[in-house]
Amino acid sequence: MSWDADTRRGLLGVLLGLPLAAAGFGHALAGRGKVARRLSNDRLLCPENECGYIYDPAKGDPEAGITPGVRFEDLPEDWICPVCGRPHHRWL
């Protein structure tokens, strides 16, 4: 079996403990290319079908300890959608 360079790099990243997106597998595992839709005022709509959650930086996510004013890109890596559980790294 032979793997291309991107697959080898991705596997190495996983072995090193990198998040899947950083390891190069983000797009392949992120729901077949679904990405969050940007709305006005830097809000993002969760890419999961029928979820409907909108992350609004003006409100943050108080239940997860995220204060108002935190941009989506600055959320902790372990943040997940409070409705469907989609991980932060699988939104973009």
Side-chain angles (χ1 to χ4, degrees), residues 2-26:
S2 68
W3 293 333
D4 63 29
D6 289 335
T7 301
R8 288 193 304 270
R9 235 185 335 272
L11 290 172
L12 178 60
V14 169
L15 290 172
L16 293 173
L18 296 174
L20 293 174
F25 287 106

Side-chain angles (χ1 to χ4, degrees), residues 19 64 66 75-81 85-89:
I66 308 299
L75 289 172
E77 281 294 315
D78 62 350
W79 181 86
I80 61 170
C81 175
R86 186 178 180 107
H88 172 262
H89 67 274

Side-chain angles (χ1 to χ4, degrees), residues 4-68:
D4 63 29
D6 289 335
T7 301
R8 288 193 304 270
R9 235 185 335 272
L11 290 172
L12 178 60
V14 169
L15 290 172
L16 293 173
L18 296 174
L20 293 174
F25 287 106
H27 295 297
L29 298 175
R32 308 279 185 251
K34 295 183 213 169
V35 294
R37 188 171 52 161
R38 288 208 179 264
L39 307 173
S40 61
N41 298 326
D42 293 324
R43 297 176 305 147
L44 279 99
L45 175 63
C46 182
E48 284 299 321
N49 292 335
E50 301 175 18
C51 171
Y53 179 76
I54 296 173
Y55 178 76
D56 184 349
K59 295 178 182 177
D61 183 2
E63 292 181 18
I66 308 299
T67 58

